Structures are given as C-alpha cells and as structure tokens.
Amino acid sequence: MVVSDTALLTQLAGLSDAAIFGGVLEILAFALGLALFLHLLIDVFVLRGRRRARELAAREHQLAAVAELSSALARAGDRESIARTVLDTLNDLVGFDFSGLVLIGANGKEGRGLIGRAASTDVDWFPSLSLDLENEVSGVRRAFETRAIFMIEDAPGSAEVNAEMVERAGLKSLVFLPLEGERGIVGVLIAGSTSEFRAFRSEQLSLMRMLAAEGTLAIERMDSVSALERGLERERLVAEISRRVRAELDLDRLIDAALAETAKALDVERCFIRLGEPDSVAPLRAEWRREGLKPVTANKTPFLSVSNLALRERKTAAIADVENDPRLEDDSLGGREALLELGSRAVLSAPIILFDSVIGALAAHTSVLRRWSDDDIAFIEAIARELGIALHTAGLIEENKRQLEEQNALLVATEAMTNELELDSVLAQRLAGGRAELIDPSSSRQVMTAAVRQAIALLEGDAALMLELEANELVVRASEGDGLEEMNGRRFPVAVSLAGDLVHSREPLVIEDLARDEGPLGPLDPVAGRGFEALIGVPVIGPDDALSGVLIVYSRRARAWRLKEIEALVTLGANSATALANAALYLRVSLEREQSLAILSSVADGIVAVDRAGQIVLWNAAAGRITGIGSSEALGRPLSEVLRHEIEAPEGAEEERSISIKRGERELWLQVAESVMRDPGGQIAGKIYTLRDVSADRFVEQAKSDFVSSISHELRAPLTSIYGFAETLLRRGDLFDDVQRRTFLSYIASESERLTGIVDALLDVAELDAGDLQVELATIDVGNVVREVVESARSDSASAQGDEHSFLIDLSDEPLSAEADRDKLRRVLVNLVDNAVKFSPSGGTVSVAGQKRSGAIELRVRDEGVGIPEEERERIFRKFYRGSSSVLSGGTGLGLFISRGLVTAMGGRIWVDSVEGEGSAFTLELPFESETAVEE
Ligand code: ADP
C-alpha cells in the first residue's frame, strides 16, 4: 500500500506539472489529489494505528535492550567481551543462530576473526579465521569495500562468500554489515541462520545496524584507550631505554635490560640482539628468553632466517607464520627449521642501523602465530634505534676511556716530573738567590692541606683527613670539613683503627655504608662518632714504595663509590706522596745547602760557582773580601766579566794559575784553581773556582828577585873598590907615597864597613824572620846617640863633593832617658838619617828632634825631600820594598824593615808622615825611663 501511495503521489507530481499547461484538467487533478491525500491520512491515523502501536511496543523493547547493551558495553573490559555482548544481543534480539565479528587490519588487507557466538557460546574456530581482503572473494570483503550491507539468502550455493566459514558454521543465509568507525571500516559483523534459508527484514537490518553502531563505538573506545595505554607504555619503555642508553655506562647491562623490556612489551618468549654486518654470520651478542627455553646456540645463529632477512633487506621483517611465510623459502636466509626447533612460530626483527650502515639486528620470537601490528613494528624499530646509539656511545666511551687512561697515566707522569722540575727550578732559584731565603719548614704540611682539599673537591666528599704514619701510630696532619679541623695532631694506634687497615693492606679501603658494613666503630678510630656513613681511604705510597700515611675522604650519607672515584683518589694519594717526598728532599737539600754555605762563608779562599751557562751562582764571603766585589754585583754575571779578566784557562795551561786583576788602582794577584761540577747524570753542571789572593806572596817573590839583583850590585860595588885598591897597593905599592897609600887603605876600610853594614842588615833580616833578634835593653841617653849619628852624617856630607845638605839637632833640654839597646837604636837612626839625605837629592835641612812625651821618648827625623806617596807609606816598612823614589838611589829595601823590627823589639813603634814633594818625617817612640840618664 505504501508503494501505491507513493506511485499516486508521483503521478500527482507529474499532473501538477501538466496543469501548468492545462485548465480544467488542473482542477480535476487537484480534487483527485485532495481525495487521495485524505485517504492517506485516514490510512495512517486510523487504519494503521493499531499495528503501529504493536510495533512501537516491540520497538521499545528493542530500545531497552540496546540501552542495556550500552551499559553492558560500558562495563566490558576487552574487545572480546564487547564482541560477545553485541553478538549475543544480536542473536537474541534479531533471531540469528550464529554471529561473529571480523576485524579489519590497519592496512586494510586482511580480516581476522575476533569472536564468533552461537547459542551463547564462543565458536572455537572463529578467532583463527583469516581473510585476504585483496586476493580472496568473501562477503566480508564485499561489505568492507562497498561500505554497505550485503545479504545472501543461499550461502552454501554462493561463490561470493568464504566457503570455509560457511561450511564450518553450517550457515544457510547470511548478512554482512560493515562497522564504520572514526577511522573507517574497522570490522564486519556477520550474522546468519543455520536452520533455514531466509531473507532479513528491514527492521531486522536497522536493529542490526543500531547494535553494530553501539559495538563499534565500544570497540573504538576500547581500542583507543588500550592503544593509548599500550602506546604510552611503549613510549615510556623507549624513553626509559633511551635514558639508560645515555646514562648507563655498562653496555652489557643496558642491552640485557633493553632485551627484557622489549620481550615484556611485545609479550614474546625470546628476544635477542645480533651484531655484525649484512651477509656475515652476525653472532649473538645477548639473549633474553622465558624460563625453561633453550638458548640460541652458536651453530643455530646462521639459520636465524628472519633476522638474516632484516639484516639483508635493511628493514624490519615481520613474519606472522614462520611455517608458511613464503619469504622464508629463500634457503640462503637459513630456512625455517632452526626457528621451528626453537619453538618460534612468529618472528619480528628490526635491523640496527648506525650512520647508514647495518651493524646488527634485534629480534623477537613468539611460540604462537602472530600478526605483528604497526605498533609492534614501530616499537621494535625504536628500541633498535636506541640500541644503535648505545652501541655507538659505548664504542665512543671505550675509546674515550682508553684515551682518558692514557691521559691519566701521562698526567701522573708529568705531575711527578713537574714536581721534580719545580723542585729543580726552585732549587736553582734558591741557589741563585744565595742564602737569601731559608726553607719554609711548613711545606710538607702545605702539601697535606692541599691534598685533603683536593680530595674533598675530587669526590665531592664532606670531609677528609691526611694521617702520617709514625712508628705504630697514625697522626692527623691535615684535616678539612665538618668539624674535623680540630683533629690536627691527634694520634691513633694503627693496630685497632679502620685507617690502620689501610696501612697493613696498602689497598684502597672502600666503605659504602659504615653502619651496615662495619658496625659501630671503636673510640680509637679517627672518625668514630662523627656521623659519617661512607668513606674511601687510600694509602699514600711514595716513589720509593714506602708508605708515608693515609688519605681518607668521608661522606655524611651512605654512598656507592664509583671505580673512577677510587682510582682518582689513589692517583691523588700517589701524587701527594711524590709531593711529600719532594718536600722532604727539598728540606734535606736545603739543610745541606745551608751547611755548605756556612762552610763556604768561613773559608779564607774565595769560592765561586758558575752554572752551565757560565753565570755565577755562588760567590762566597771570601770572594767578596778578596776582590772587593759584593755578591749582589757578582751573581748572575759571567766571572770573566766580573773580574774584568779572562778566566778560562788557555789551552794546555796548568790547572792552577795566577792572574792579575785591578782592585781600584792596585794590582791584585789571584791564584785560580778550577774544577768541573757534574750533575748526577754525569753531565757538566758548571764549574767551581777557588780564588786565592797571592799579591803578598807574589810581591815577596818579586822583591826577592829584585833583591838578588840589587844586593849583588850593592855587594859588588864595595867589593870592587876594596879589590881594586888592595891589588893596586900589592902590585904597585912602591909607586905611591905614604899619604896616597893611607888614602887607599882608608877607602878599603870604609868600603869594608859598608859591606859589613849590608851583611849585618841581611843577618838582621834573617834574625827578624827567625824571630830570634836579641836586644840588650839598658837605660840610655837618647840625645847622645842622636848627636853622634848626626855628627857622623854631617862629616860624611862635608867630605862628599857637591853635597848641599845641612843638619839640625833639636833636643829638649831635659835628659831623654829611654829603655833601649844603644847600638840598635843607633842603627835605626843611621838608617833614617841616611834615607833623609838620600831622598832629598837637591839638598835641604835634615833635622833630628827629640823630646819627652807622656810615657815615651819621641825622636823625629825630618827631611825636605821627595816625600812618599800615600799608598806607599805603609809598604815601605815591608821587607825588600823599595819605593818609586828609589829608582835612582838604589838600595836593598831592607832599611825600614829592619828599623821597624828593631824598634818593635825594643818595645817602641815607628811611623811616617809625609807630603809628596815637600818632605817626610819618620817618628819613633821608645819607652820612657824616668831616671836620670846614665852615661856609658
Ligand atoms: P833602602 O835601604 O833601600 O833605602 P828602606 O827600607 O830604608 O830601603 O826604604 C825603603 C823605601 O822607602 C825607599 O826605597 C824609599 O822609596 C822610601 N823612603 C825611605 N825613607 C824615605 C825618605 N826620607 N823620603 C822618601 N822616601 C823614603
């Protein structure tokens, strides 16, 4: 009826078009249409009312069932139970004998049975149902592709449905309903009758649609929640593994953890990693497997065909069915046997790619057939990527570690060296700085203080101690941090303390938790009762392998010490030991040096050391005294420059030689001896020179040789005269008269006397040198001796032709009594008056004055002669010295020497005052005798 109504309406529509062109017909048509409309109204509201009411009741029941379904679905925990609820409601409400849900894979290429229901029970074969949506004909495929309901009344006779399913379920008529969700068709609902061939009514179909929509919603919700959860869980896992990749230094531990987590996330029984290039037998690096499974043995590794495939193809291989997958037919991959023997039915393997090259593969095996989802694939690829980074990092770390170790070794070596070098340079500096600085006695303490500070900084500890081993005790020498400062100086017996263990074991002591590992510490332990919970102690062992102490770092809280930290502290301990040894050596060297300096400064000889470069590094006090050059002027300069004289011995010269240098105006004679200084390696380190002032000796030598020539002259002159006169008298005495003979004889006598004088002088010198000059002291009148000497000089002068000298005696009136040897005093006066005459060649007055001074008799012989240069005034009293003025006058240079010797022997003294060009005054002082002079 509905159909006829519709036809009429259609006709009516057609007529109304025609009415535009017709008049009467138009009205007729309208009346007919109105009648038909009224008929329709009556039909709907009156005739169909009762039937509608029935249908509405059924409809209400259905709606209630759907509402019930909704709440049941909301409670459902998984897709299977959703499917069961929907399918049961469908069977129940629509009257199907069988229904099932096929899910469409994300790639849209396959359909997979989820749950099948018949008589409120699961259909066992249904979940294994797999439909190829590309290549096979099926109702599912048709519904999926057309997105529309597809009905088959005669299923067994149709080629359009999957025969296997129809046969196994015993279906006669079938409906396929696509489930359209957010992301497209997610599944196909299959429902049918097994009892009869039938068609399905539209209300049955719309009810089916409604139920399907509810189910789709529920499944999608479920999928998105579980996908989200699963995704999140895997995200978290990947992030966790990635974190470990960046934090975990131990590659093996990292790989083991990654395999276990991957296996858990993918829900597989076996997971392993192979390392190697494509087309190599990449060996197994590590494997995780569920308990009870046999490990993959090395002989099976080449036959792990799925990971071989991933390695070769450089992409993930997902094998859902090892037994049947055609890709494993390629025998070069290793076949299926090995996998099946391992019990693996499905395998997923991703290549591990690093910088574009394949370095291995990660594989997951499961004992059941399994279609690997996109999520699974994305997950294993993410893990493979992270493992690639881990392997790369581990390689870098390994390389880095090796370099670090090298650097560390180098550092230790350099440090030891620089310590020594520094010591060297400090020593060199000190050497150059002379004795300016003494050694800082606290330097070893400084080393220890630095060591505890460094130790704390190094390990980020809370406190540190450095204890020195002394006999059977450990003494705190340096401490830092957390109330340990006041421990300095405290002593702990080695035998009972924890620190003492270090002394015995000579190995690092590492305690992560004191309370747990050691129990309560005794009161004799350095850290007892200070609230520390962890410590590392290392022995401080020096270069000579001797243990000098221990270095301990403490932590307030329990703490795991890393191997690197322990190694670092051991290195610090060793460095400290080296520094301590150096400090001790330094102290010793300094002390020795001080001793040497003390010795050097007290020796009389000048001692000068020069370094390799020839610069003066040592200049002792005597060197300064001899040369008149201070050490500050000499140090750091070449010796020849300082002395202004070439110091290097000429080729073939004697080791000891004399050089003359200028000291001011004076000439200074130095005897130089040199010896080479060598370092412990035998290399020349410098030279040591000894300088001895031999000016005096050299002068005497010179004077002696001068004396030999002058004395021979002095002796020869009188001897020649004596010999001449005597021979003349002997041979031709008859030719001379008495007067002439007397004159000759008197010459002989006076020359003999002169000769005697010279010989006497030489004897006096000998006696003076021997120290046994005898004087016979008596109280004499000095005035008489003066008069005698001056008279004699005056008569000599008068008898000499052209002598312009006049003589003056100036004696005080009182008697000049002195305690003296008359003869010797006369000789002194004779000498002084002779010199006065001799050194005033152009004449002038020679005066001899005598007076009484307090406690002494003073005699002064004054002339108006050439005078004596200042620098000679002392030297003229030396043996053999003849002054610049004696060049013309000759002489032995002994007169004044003997005079001083005689005066000194009589207990007096003699000196000279002179003005050059004006004259000289020789004064002698004799001990005063108060009694009246007694004449001989
Ligand atoms: P000599 O016997 O050779 O004169 P002396 O010992 O008596 O030696 O004198 C030493 C030197 O002292 C002399 O060579 C001379 O240069 C200096 N001398 C001594 N007396 C005088 C003087 N009156 N005036 C100047 N020079 C003098």
Side-chain angles (χ1 to χ4, degrees), residues 738-759:
D738 276 357
V739 178
Q740 284 172 314
R741 272 199 295 271
R742 251 187 115 73
T743 307
F744 284 4
L745 287 172
S746 71
Y747 270 116
I748 289 172
S750 71
E751 287 302 296
S752 299
E753 196 181 354
R754 198 173 137 202
L755 205 57
T756 308
I758 292 168
V759 173

Side-chain angles (χ1 to χ4, degrees), residues 49-59:
R50 262 165 275 144
R51 198 173 130 198
R52 269 286 162 198
R54 270 204 318 276
E55 279 179 3
L56 279 173
R59 189 90 173 149

